[in-house]
């Protein structure tokens, strides 16, 4: 596994790249976007993000995430760290436990990138 750092997408409301189907990505945009998709490219991280984002109340303790996987707690923590580095989740330590929540703005930026442009209405 690579030790390179993942970079958070910019704060631009259109994401770093606008819509993927609207115009071709330039080299920098593709590289930035690939870092986020790399974080989501692992089934464990994708499941973790889904479990966190779908949680009622908006946050979940790592102690509730770990039993869902046949992986050690340090491995789960590593996957959560990569999601944090990608800017998809954030966390806070409360005593012994760490609580995680999804960052809605990051998810919205990804959704905006993947959203297909609306088809133009055909005039008769």
């Amino acid at each position: 596994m690579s030790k390179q750092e993942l970079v958070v997408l910019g704060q631009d409301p259109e994401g770093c790249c606008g819509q993927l189907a609207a115009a071709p990505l330039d080299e920098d945009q593709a590289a930035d976007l690939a870092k986020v998709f790399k974080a989501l490219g692992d089934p464990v991280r994708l499941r973790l993000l889904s479990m966190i984002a779908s949680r009622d109340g908006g946050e979940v303790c790592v102690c509730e995430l770990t039993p869902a996987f046949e992986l050690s707690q340090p491995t789960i923590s590593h996957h959560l760290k990569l999601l944090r580095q990608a800017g998809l989740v954030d966390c806070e330590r409360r005593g012994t436990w760490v609580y995680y929540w999804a960052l809605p703005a990051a998810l919205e930026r990804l959704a905006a990138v993947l959203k297909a442009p609306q088809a133009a209405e055909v005039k008769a």
Side-chain angles (χ1 to χ4, degrees):
M1 168 114 349
S2 173
K3 297 284 184 184
Q4 67 187 20
E5 291 287 317
L6 298 173
V7 178
V8 178
L9 290 175
Q11 298 300 316
D12 179 1
E14 289 292 316
C16 68
C17 313
Q19 289 183 336
L20 191 63
L25 299 174
D26 68 29
E27 191 173 327
D28 291 336
Q29 291 171 328
D32 289 341
L33 192 55
K35 292 173 185 174
V36 176
F37 283 117
K38 182 177 180 180
L40 294 174
D42 183 279
V44 172
R45 290 191 290 271
L46 195 53
R47 283 186 61 207
L48 283 167
L49 180 61
S50 175
M51 291 171 71
I52 294 166
S54 66
R55 181 63 175 227
D56 286 338
E59 63 183 30
V60 62
C61 178
V62 69
C63 64
E64 298 173 71
L65 296 171
T66 304
F69 300 90
E70 293 182 11
L71 298 169
S72 68
Q73 187 277 325
T75 301
I76 297 297
S77 291
H78 170 73
H79 285 296
L80 290 166
K81 175 185 171 185
L82 294 177
L83 289 173
R84 275 193 341 269
Q85 288 176 339
L88 297 168
V89 300
D90 204 355
C91 66
E92 175 181 78
R93 178 172 294 281
R94 298 179 195 156
T96 303
W97 301 110
V98 179
Y99 289 79
Y100 289 85
W101 57 88
L103 296 173
L107 301 179
E108 289 169 10
R109 285 191 300 272
L110 281 177
V113 167
L114 294 174
K115 183 178 178 185
Q118 296 295 325
E121 290 187 34
V122 179
K123 294 184 180 182

